[in-house]
Amino acid sequence: MTLSRARSFSPMTLGRLAEALGLDAEGDLGLPIRGAAHPAAAGPEDLAVATDRKHQRLLGEGGARAALLDADADREALGLAGALRAPRPRFALALLTETFARAPAPAEARVHPSAVIHPEARIAEDAWIGPFCVIGAGARIGPRARLLSHVCVGDRAVLGADVALHPGVRIGMDVRLGDRVAAHPNAVIGSDGFSYVTPEPGAVEAAKSRGVSDVEGAAATVHARIHSLGAVEIGADVEIGAGATLDRGTLRDTVVGAGTKIDNLVQIAHNVRVGRDCLICAQAGVAGSAEIGDRVVLGGKAGVADHSVIGSDVLIAASSGLSGKVPPRTIMMGTPALPRDEFYRLTMALRRLPRILDKLRQSG
């Protein structure tokens, strides 16, 4: 939950930082380091992140004396007094940014005077409730939870330990968040599902069964809402991006497994079940009652049709449209989504089609 620039920290030495990150250090280990920075913007007390040649060429534009480097870079040729070596640079970057990330400093009051908290809500003594938050009846806020401004928590919702909710987050009634869940601005967890039915079989049902949309009148236009009586259950260590929406279930809960990361503007519909440690990228949409296994990756703008079943360790490329069942460890691409090899084969055949048509015209 990072709200402040890394350079505002008290300095630590390069040697101590190396110990904290489990990385090898060289050069002047006593150099003070206040934060991490882009090489072109780094100051003398920043650790420049320059783990490839492109970024190493930018070191001269900044004032860094130390940098995070890959295993092959020549520190002295780069003019650096010290360096950390990263055999796996992006993982080292994750550790580095975690080291300098900072939760907002609590105000003097644990609960801001403008917060509205129902008397039946239970708030841990070391939780922090920011300005204009609203907490409903029977809600439970766990230890060290941080609710920033304008967060709403519905009746009987349960927030685990170290939950971090950024400004404008909405948590619906009966929603359960595991420990260390983070939700970014304006995420909505527990909105009503998009589920309607017509008095008689409507146009969508006709299209599915007969392949035509031949329904007219009230049967096609009068939509009765099926209300969502379930809730949403979010496992531990889940992160939910800004503007993402997770709908409550109809009769059973919508579920997101522990460790899953959900990007900005993702839609998870009613009754969906997402496994553990998945990555769901920006603007992906998962329709009602779909089931997603563990460690699945949905690329940006990927769409999953209702009642689809996706096995574990599946990769779905960006902008793909998927329906039906996908076996584990499959890579899917395109709309409609196909296994990668089949997608490439058909794409190459399509690219050859103009030449084939030209040859046919010439031979005719």
Side-chain angles (χ1 to χ4, degrees):
M1 185 173 160
T2 307
L3 295 182
S4 58
R5 284 185 59 82
R7 68 181 67 238
S8 63
F9 280 78
S10 298
M12 67 173 72
T13 65
L14 182 66
R16 284 186 55 200
L17 181 59
E19 292 177 7
L21 300 179
L23 298 177
D24 292 332
E26 61 185 59
D28 184 356
L29 304 189
L31 288 172
I33 303 295
R34 289 183 179 272
H38 186 279
E45 293 189 345
D46 287 323
L47 183 74
V49 178
T51 54
D52 56 44
R53 292 183 180 180
K54 172 185 173 182
H55 289 93
Q56 288 160 13
R57 286 194 292 268
L58 299 175
L59 284 168
E61 299 180 20
R65 295 186 293 166
L68 178 68
L69 301 175
D70 62 295
D72 299 324
D74 187 334
R75 173 182 65 83
E76 294 181 351
L78 293 172
L80 296 170
L84 302 184
R85 296 289 182 176
R88 183 162 168 75
R90 282 189 62 80
F91 188 71
L93 180 61
L95 298 176
L96 179 65
T97 55
E98 181 181 13
T99 298
F100 289 110
R102 166 178 293 183
E108 293 181 3
R110 179 178 65 86
V111 177
H112 194 275
S114 64
V116 178
I117 300 176
H118 194 280
E120 295 178 6
R122 291 174 10 197
I123 314 294
E125 290 185 0
D126 53 356
W128 189 80
I129 312 299
F132 303 105
C133 290
V134 178
I135 300 177
R140 289 185 290 163
I141 311 298
R144 300 173 302 281
R146 295 290 184 267
L147 279 61
L148 303 191
S149 64
H150 297 87
V151 171
C152 292
V153 178
D155 295 352
R156 302 177 301 279
V158 178
L159 278 57
D162 300 295
V163 164
L165 303 183
H166 287 248
V169 170
R170 304 293 190 257
I171 305 297
M173 63 181 182
D174 298 312
V175 167
R176 299 181 300 282
L177 305 184
D179 295 344
R180 299 173 299 282
V181 168
H184 292 272
N186 298 321
V188 179
I189 305 171
S191 47
D192 219 25
F194 187 77
S195 187
Y196 296 87
V197 65
T198 52
E200 302 294 336
V204 173
E205 293 169 88
K208 287 183 176 180
S209 62
R210 301 193 296 275
V212 294
S213 180
D214 57 357
V215 178
E216 298 179 356
T221 57
V222 176
H223 299 98
R225 169 176 281 282
I226 298 175
H227 292 271
S228 299
L229 305 182
V232 181
E233 180 179 352
I234 308 293
D237 300 299
V238 170
E239 188 160 356
I240 298 168
T245 52
L246 288 76
D247 292 346
R248 56 198 319 106
T250 304
L251 298 175
R252 68 174 188 176
D253 293 347
T254 300
V255 176
V256 177
T260 286
K261 313 303 181 187
I262 297 174
D263 200 359
N264 300 341
L265 301 176
V266 166
Q267 159 68 6
I268 304 294
H270 58 282
N271 306 331
V272 168
R273 304 183 80 81
V274 178
R276 300 170 63 93
D277 300 310
C278 296
L279 295 175
I280 303 180
C281 300
Q283 299 184 43
V286 183
S289 299
E291 297 188 11
I292 297 175
D294 298 335
R295 299 173 299 280
V296 170
V297 178
L298 298 186
K301 294 188 178 181
V304 177
D306 58 289
H307 296 88
S308 295
V309 178
I310 300 174
S312 295
D313 301 295
V314 167
L315 305 181
I316 300 175
S319 298
S320 297
L322 184 146
S323 64
K325 293 186 177 180
V326 180
R329 296 178 297 281
T330 305
I331 301 174
M332 303 293 289
M333 305 179 74
T335 301
L338 299 170
R340 179 180 60 179
D341 291 347
E342 183 178 356
F343 174 83
Y344 284 153
R345 185 170 62 252
L346 292 176
T347 300
M348 293 305 296
L350 186 62
R351 294 180 65 179
R352 295 189 198 102
L353 189 58
R355 295 198 301 270
I356 294 172
L357 291 174
D358 288 341
K359 289 181 180 180
L360 287 174
R361 293 188 190 100
Q362 293 170 7
S363 64

